[in-house]
Amino acid sequence: MSHSEIRVRFAPSPTGYPHLGNIRTALFNWLFARHHDGKFILRIEDTDVARKVAGAVENITESLKWLGLDWDEGPYFQSQRLPQYQEIARKLVDQGHAYLCYCSPQRLEEMRREQMRRKQPPKYDRRCRELTGQQRARLEASGVTPVVRFKTPLEEETSFHDLIRGKVTFQNDTLDDFILLKSDSYPTYHLANVVDDHLMVISHVLRADEWLSSTPRHILLYQVLDWQPPQFAHLPMILGPDKAKLSKRHGATNIIDYQRQGYLPEAMINFLSLLGWSLDDKTEFLSREELVKHFTLERVGKTAAIFNKDKLDWMNGVYLRKLTPEQFASQSTLFLQRDLPPSVKHPLDNSYISTITPLIQERAKTLGDVPRLADFFFLGDLEYDQSLLIKGTDTASATKAIETSLERLKPLEAWNTASLEDILRPLATELGLTTSKFFGLLRVAITGRTASPPLFQTMAVLGKERCLKRLNKALHEIKMQN
RNA sequence: GCCCUCAUCGUCUAGGGGACUAGGACGUCAGCCUUUCAAGCUGAAGACAGGGAUUCGAAUUCCCUUGAGGGCACCA
């Protein structure tokens, strides 16, 4: 591989399922790689045995696949590369850049509590930093398994140039002697991350802003290891509506949930790309190809973005409407099969579905809306809410309207939108009702609700038999209620 | 408490000294269309956190204040 090749990675830890923020990071890495014709690498940072979540790796790969964020290498697993980290840790100890620490977690915990209580920055007191051989031998003999800590320089400062933030500087004395290797001999994030980014020849680290303050530690590691650090770009965070870092308590943040709710991957990609990045002052819609073509770090912003679900819904609706009727029908089918009430008999008839979905397409914001918007096309008997049935009309006129409609409709042979309109529209005048009232009444009788696709089209799709049956039932209910 | 970062309409953002009476989008409101709901169209309301400084001129540069976020684990 050439030295100038762009190589980036998405490196999630399998301690949970990826949410919007994680995926936005993946997306920007992917876009950056594709834009520069580089490589996008997937690395699983599974160094925390205790917090590992079953199925997380599968969920991560599934999410990336759903969105079409294909990776060129990996997934690599850090848990399978333990010897590499251990060797580096050993080397650092040998060279005097790191040391063995025998302090117990309990002692550290107490110390932290005390520091917090005294409003001091919680920091390791470096008790083991300068142990004599004798002291070490005694601790070793007592059976304590040590951790390896980095010997952070006590003076001077560490700075680096962030591609998005510019120059960032930290005083070394504000840094801790952080742990490199845990007592279970797994590396911590800091060690594994640096070692892997170097070994995998990562050219650019594009990660969320929350990592900014650990970057000086990483820089320090690169320095003592005599490795060239990658370029860093810390992406603005995505926050929940409460302005806090996205987390479980923000609800359905797992990216796969959005798939389940019926968001389209294209819409998701487009929406996410605009969270922290923009092309110009007006472009809202960009295809995957356009995104790849135009994506640059220069146009990534610095300010954290609050996730705005309303806009996602709007955008998904636009993408839904852009689908061909055939595409929309086939995409809807899965959701209808999954979410229609159990009373609806399966399997569903595909040709019937394709007559319905055109009436739903411009009304759905997600594919998950489809079953709710279309259930009355599949249900047998409808349950009427009496207040809906007689809304805006009195019982007598409602009864008469439906009776007359039934009378005129029964002999109708050609049951289609035009013929239905030819019969029913004049009837409104005849009955002395506004079309709004008359059609509204029929709408409730036919669909069980006050809002639906256009009445005649709906009736045409439902068919004569079902419509007459529903009108009869509605009529019966009106009479029963009085 | 300490460190770091950020700061334009409710939200996502454009803006990198004069083109800004600050543009676009979502949302909101109003109107049009209309058999309802949507969709569509038109319009409206709506922001440069505050204070200094630099400059002929600042949303744009610098400083301070304030606010917000993030980090400070044998978690990543």
Side-chain angles (χ1 to χ4, degrees), chain A residues 370-388:
Chain A
V370 176
R372 281 188 291 103
L373 291 169
D375 60 357
F376 59 84
F377 282 112
F378 297 91
L379 262 17
D381 280 344
L382 300 179
E383 295 302 321
Y384 296 108
D385 175 333
Q386 62 163 336
S387 65
L388 290 183

Side-chain angles (χ1 to χ4, degrees), chain A residues 1-7 39 41 73 76 197-203:
Chain A
M1 56 193 91
S2 95
H3 220 63
S4 59
E5 188 184 27
I6 300 289
R7 290 170 61 82
K39 295 282 191 289
I41 294 152
E73 289 178 31
Y76 296 114
D197 282 345
H198 176 257
L199 261 27
M200 295 176 190
V201 201
I202 298 302
S203 65

Side-chain angles (χ1 to χ4, degrees), chain A residues 7-12 34 39-45 57 60-61 64-65 69-78 80-81 196 200 202:
Chain A
R7 290 170 61 82
V8 295
R9 80 309 194 268
F10 176 50
R34 294 291 170 260
K39 295 282 191 289
F40 177 61
I41 294 152
L42 176 59
R43 185 171 76 216
I44 305 297
E45 310 219 320
V57 173
I60 290 164
T61 54
L64 293 176
K65 282 179 188 164
L69 305 182
D70 54 327
W71 56 94
D72 304 298
E73 289 178 31
Y76 296 114
F77 291 85
Q78 292 186 325
Q80 292 171 10
R81 302 163 55 78
D196 279 350
M200 295 176 190
I202 298 302

Side-chain angles (χ1 to χ4, degrees), chain A residues 277-449:
Chain A
W277 177 87
S278 64
L279 174 62
D280 54 31
D281 60 341
K282 44 180 69 71
T283 308
E284 298 286 340
F285 291 95
L286 295 108
S287 67
R288 183 179 303 259
E289 293 69 31
E290 289 169 322
L291 249 16
V292 167
K293 181 176 170 200
H294 297 295
F295 184 84
T296 59
L297 254 23
E298 288 72 54
R299 295 209 57 83
V300 173
K302 296 179 178 181
T303 54
I306 294 172
F307 165 54
N308 180 197
K309 185 167 180 295
D310 279 341
K311 187 158 183 177
L312 203 215
D313 286 346
W314 163 76
M315 185 167 273
N316 198 62
V318 175
Y319 272 87
L320 242 26
R321 273 171 255 132
K322 280 201 255 192
L323 257 29
T324 64
E326 293 73 28
Q327 289 171 326
F328 184 75
S330 84
Q331 297 255 42
S332 296
T333 303
L334 293 169
F335 288 83
L336 287 166
Q337 284 168 345
R338 188 189 71 184
D339 293 343
L340 243 21
S343 63
V344 174
K345 73 172 195 312
H346 287 71
L348 302 172
D349 179 350
N350 283 329
S351 65
Y352 183 55
I353 288 176
S354 63
T355 61
I356 291 163
T357 48
L359 301 181
I360 301 300
Q361 189 162 5
E362 73 180 24
R363 293 175 171 75
K365 291 217 184 298
T366 65
L367 291 166
D369 290 342
V370 176
R372 281 188 291 103
L373 291 169
D375 60 357
F376 59 84
F377 282 112
F378 297 91
L379 262 17
D381 280 344
L382 300 179
E383 295 302 321
Y384 296 108
D385 175 333
Q386 62 163 336
S387 65
L388 290 183
L389 194 53
I390 59 172
K391 185 175 183 183
T393 52
D394 57 68
T395 308
S397 67
T399 307
K400 187 177 177 217
I402 295 182
E403 277 174 345
T404 316
S405 300
L406 274 165
E407 227 168 77
R408 305 287 167 86
L409 258 17
K410 262 178 204 156
L412 182 61
E413 298 278 339
W415 191 270
N416 58 53
T417 306
S419 62
L420 286 164
E421 180 153 16
D422 284 348
I423 289 176
L424 295 172
R425 192 173 287 279
L427 190 51
T429 324
E430 194 183 320
L431 291 164
L433 292 171
T434 60
T435 50
S436 179
K437 284 227 175 88
F438 180 45
F439 295 162
L441 180 64
L442 294 179
R443 167 172 292 106
V444 174
I446 297 291
T447 68
R449 56 182 72 180

